[in-house]
């Protein structure tokens, strides 16, 4: 997280932190395991009032940032979501709101208003099996004054709770994005299992789903750049959230090391453990540093943004997981019980590691940019 | 010019760019690699040092030496942002890489922090002009990590001190001019309270410099034997017996090396071996298409960039006070572990060329030797184990390790049979 936030940013972050501590303490997160939606509509609306949904949206469209760098501001929220393993479709609503603000037409104004107000949510249908971080195989055809969508997206965050789905697919060689209202004929949403207690995921299937031409966001076949920006934005949010989970698990475990005595002395006095804490601290600080660097690069449209988001995702994905698993190890048996809080952060970090490209996939992406294979 | 009379960093960058392009040669990576890896002859190496002194003098004359050093000592009095701009513009060009560490940091940095006015006026401009090259005489044969257990002894004799003992792991002492030395001035107080820092020229009576051959053939490291070396009291840095105050700051500057605003280091340049990136190694080894190799290329890049961003974060935090000085150990630990891992990655990618190679194998040649030297990344500049102690104890506040030398006169501290001569 930002090493030196402005006082506005600090106030904003603290507001969100306090709200999350009050509204979704660990006991509430545990309870959400059995809640089909995973979050409460009123909770989300109040979060929107705190600014969770508006940071990537142009002021002219009712949004606005604190610092003039909306994505950086949003990383503060995502970080606190990680630190609290908080419920809610933070990634998907922000990506969709940003897309509608940047590329959407007049027709999308009311949808955007509702997403901004938190009175409804929107979901982004992007990933497919074996499609990497591309627009995928889902086909979007123009037929007269209609668009016809066919294909399958998975996993889609909070699709079943969303009023609208932003579907990314391909039209020939180009990428196209379409805003599809929930309940459109041909659309089926099948819930999936997930490691997280509060986030919900679905398979979204579109069987010749027909929507009017003005449902397109941007121009048919020409959405590649916009999709790339959404991918970068999503990765920045996931990395900031993961760093939040790392920070919380680390803080909990440091505290535990001081409180827990074995053989008459605190765990924190054993050099073997002290040295592991030192390693974890170096991963944690590097995670903060690389996640912030990625956010800044995307926000400022720097040429190295693509590489930095992959570096950040590969780093926090790998080391975040290692760090929290080591925290579990240092806790011992209690660290793998449902009653203890540690697994809430392990779950969120594990989920985030798997979404939008694993560390290994991002290492391949980095290598592809560094060393294109000319002869293949 | 800004209101406070400091040149705008962007204007400075433009000025630096045009000066660099019209005055410096492009960096020959193979020369740099040979110098760092120990493959160069003595003559080549001395010629290299001469050229580096020359470039340093050119920096000085053009107003690019000591960018963050005070103006009264010949520096430019500018900010880390200016140094960063200069570093970035320098990428790909020759620069005085052997004059950076420990010459500017920690040596010049320590003189700036603790030197007398006279010492600063005499030495800082000379360092900035490339006339004086400094080395640190810190480690001793009897102990590496336990720096405060120095046994090199200084005894007062009127206005002079007489030094006896031995220092080790001084990089390039054979071609350097001056040394910064931590010595024991009192054996009857606990170890941290009986140390004093001195400076002296390295090539004079009483100083015997021996070159140590490393397993890769490099002879950059030296050991010095001090025999009845007489140093005037005016060449003492800091108070008598207060050397540890200087030493703590000294080691802080050492850990900050890569991100010290006093050091000129273009992004991507390193003080470690390797003439090419892992992708270059893969290309020259003919394994670029291998998916496992590409994973390793990606991993090395991730570590490289994460390390760079971490360095910047720690440096920024230390400057603003958000992170304690001890936080420098975090970057040191990460850099060491990542460096060692990267040597392994390069060796792995080289395949059989890692074990046997020819001079035609390009970036894949010689990586087996770098692998043999892998742990140097975790040893030099303070071991990673010491960094882990500092992080856990000084940053996270965990209990200190038990030690048998606290609150005991240094004379009575147990020393093993390998520690050399006992106290006199």
């Amino acid at each position: 997280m930002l090493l030196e936030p402005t006082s506005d940013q600090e106030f904003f972050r603290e507001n969100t932190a306090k709200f999350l501590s009050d509204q979704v303490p660990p006991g509430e997160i545990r309870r959400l395991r059995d809640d089909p939606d995973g979050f409460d509509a009123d909770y989300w609306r109040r979060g929107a009032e705190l600014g969770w949904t508006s940071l990537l949206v142009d002021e002219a469209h009712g949004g606005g940032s604190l610092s003039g760098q909306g994505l950086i501001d949003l990383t503060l929220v995502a970080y606190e979501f990680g630190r609290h393993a908080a419920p809610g479709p933070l990634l998907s609503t922000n990506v969709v709101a940003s897309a509608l603000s940047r590329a959407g037409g007049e027709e999308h104004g009311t949808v955007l208003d509702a997403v901004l107000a938190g009175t409804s949510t929107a979901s982004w249908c992007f990933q497919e099996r074996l499609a990497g971080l591309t627009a995928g195989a889902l086909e979007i055809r123009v037929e007269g004054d209609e668009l016809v969508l066919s294909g399958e997206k998975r996993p889609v965050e909070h699709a079943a709770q969303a009023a609208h789905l932003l579907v990314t697919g391909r039209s020939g060689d180009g990428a196209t994005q379409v805003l599809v209202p929930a309940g459109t004929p041909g659309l089926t949403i099948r819930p999936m299992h997930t490691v997280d207690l509060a986030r919900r995921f679905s398979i979204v299937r579109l069987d010749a789903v027909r929507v009017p031409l003005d449902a397109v966001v941007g121009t048919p076949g020409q959405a590649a750049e916009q999709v790339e920006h959404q991918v970068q934005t999503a990765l920045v949010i996931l990395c900031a959230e993961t760093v939040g989970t790392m920070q919380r698990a680390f803080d909990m475990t440091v505290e535990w090391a001081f409180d827990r005595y074995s053989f008459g002395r605190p765990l924190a006095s054993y050099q073997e453990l002290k040295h592991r804490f030192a390693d974890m601290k170096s991963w944690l600080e590097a995670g903060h540093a690389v996640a912030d660097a990625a956010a800044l690069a995307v926000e400022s449209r720097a040429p190295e943004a693509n590489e930095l988001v992959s570096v950040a995702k590969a780093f926090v994905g790998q080391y975040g997981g290692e760090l929290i698993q080591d925290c579990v190890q240092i806790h011992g048996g209690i660290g793998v019980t449902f009653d203890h809080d540690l697994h809430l952060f392990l779950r969120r970090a594990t989920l985030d590691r798997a979404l939008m490209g694993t560390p290994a996939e991002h290492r391949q992406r980095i290598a592809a940019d560094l060393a294109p294979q000319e002869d293949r | 010019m800004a209101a406070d009379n400091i040149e705008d960093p962007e204007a400075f960058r433009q000025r630096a760019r045009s000066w660099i392009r019209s005055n410096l040669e492009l960096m020959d990576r193979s020369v740099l690699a040979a110098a760092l890896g120990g493959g160069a002859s003595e003559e080549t190496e001395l010629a290299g040092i001469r050229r580096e002194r020359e470039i340093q003098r050119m920096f000085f004359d053009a107003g690019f030496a000591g960018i963050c050093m005070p103006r009264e000592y010949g520096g430019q009095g500018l900010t880390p942002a200016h140094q960063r701009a200069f570093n970035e513009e320098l990428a790909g060009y020759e620069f005085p890489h052997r004059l950076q560490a420990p010459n500017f940091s920690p040596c010049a940095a320590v003189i700036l922090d603790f030197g007398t006015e006279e010492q600063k006026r005499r030495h800082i401009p000379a360092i900035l002009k490339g006339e004086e090259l400094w080395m640190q005489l810190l480690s001793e044969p009897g102990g590496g990590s336990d720096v405060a257990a120095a046994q090199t002894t200084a005894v007062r004799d009127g206005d002079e001190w007489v030094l006896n003992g031995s220092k080790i792991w001084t990089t390039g002492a054979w071609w350097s001019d001056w040394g910064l030395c931590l010595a024991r001035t009192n054996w009857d107080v606990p170890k941290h309270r009986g140390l004093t820092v001195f400076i002296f020229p390295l090539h004079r009576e009483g100083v015997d410099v021996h070159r140590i051959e490393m397993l890769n053939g490099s002879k950059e490291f030296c050991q010095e034997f001090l025999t009845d070396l007489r140093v005037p009291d005016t060449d003492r840095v800091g108070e008598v017996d207060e050397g540890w105050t200087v030493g703590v700051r000294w080691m802080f500057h050492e850990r900050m090396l890569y991100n010290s605003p006093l050091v000129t280091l273009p992004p991507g340049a390193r003080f470690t071996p390797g003439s090419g990136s892992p992708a270059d190694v893969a290309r020259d080894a003919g394994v670029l298409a291998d998916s496992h190799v590409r994973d390793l290329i990606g991993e090395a890049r991730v570590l490289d960039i994460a390390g760079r961003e971490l360095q910047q974060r720690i440096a920024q935090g230390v400057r603003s006070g958000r992170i304690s000085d001890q936080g420098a150990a975090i970057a040191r630990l990460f850099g060491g572990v990542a460096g060692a891992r990267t040597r392994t990655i390069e060796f792995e990618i080289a395949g059989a060329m890692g074990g046997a190679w020819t001079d035609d194998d390009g970036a894949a040649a010689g990586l087996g030797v770098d692998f043999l030297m892998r742990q140097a990344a975790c040893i030099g500049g303070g071991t990673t184990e010491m960094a882990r102690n500092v992080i856990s104890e000084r940053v996270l506040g965990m209990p200190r390790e038990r030690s048998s030398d606290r609150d005991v006169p240094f004379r009575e501290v147990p020393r093993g049979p390998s520690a050399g001569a006992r106290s006199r």
Side-chain angles (χ1 to χ4, degrees), chain A residues 1 3-4 258 268 271 274-275 277 279 285-286 288-289 292-293 307-308 363-364 366-368 371 373 376, chain B residues 289 291 294-295 298-299 301-302 305 309-310 313 316-317 320 322 333 385 388-389 392-393 397-399 401:
Chain A
M1 200 208 49
L3 188 59
E4 285 159 18
F258 278 96
Q271 192 174 41
K274 285 161 66 182
H275 282 197
F277 277 106
D279 284 327
E285 292 301 324
H288 276 284
D292 283 353
E307 181 178 45
L308 272 171
R363 289 193 293 266
Q364 292 288 340
I366 293 162
Q373 301 174 69
R376 279 179 88 195
Chain B
S291 155
R294 300 178 72 77
D295 186 75
E299 183 189 348
R301 183 72 169 174
V302 168
I305 292 181
E309 297 301 334
L310 174 64
R313 178 179 172 89
Q316 184 198 349
S320 71
R322 282 236 169 191
L333 170 60
E385 283 73 20
R388 288 184 177 102
N389 278 353
S392 54
E393 296 175 1
M398 293 179 166
E401 285 305 302

Side-chain angles (χ1 to χ4, degrees), chain A residues 193-199 201 343-344 346-352 354:
Chain A
H193 302 290
T194 176
V195 291
D196 198 82
L197 295 185
R199 292 258 159 87
F201 290 87
H343 68 100
L344 305 181
L346 177 62
R347 286 171 188 279
R348 182 58 56 88
T350 302
L351 172 68
D352 288 352

Side-chain angles (χ1 to χ4, degrees), chain A residues 92-110:
Chain A
S92 45
T93 49
N94 273 289
V95 166
V96 176
S98 163
L100 294 182
S101 174
R102 287 161 55 102
E106 294 283 314
E107 314 72 36
H108 301 128
T110 49

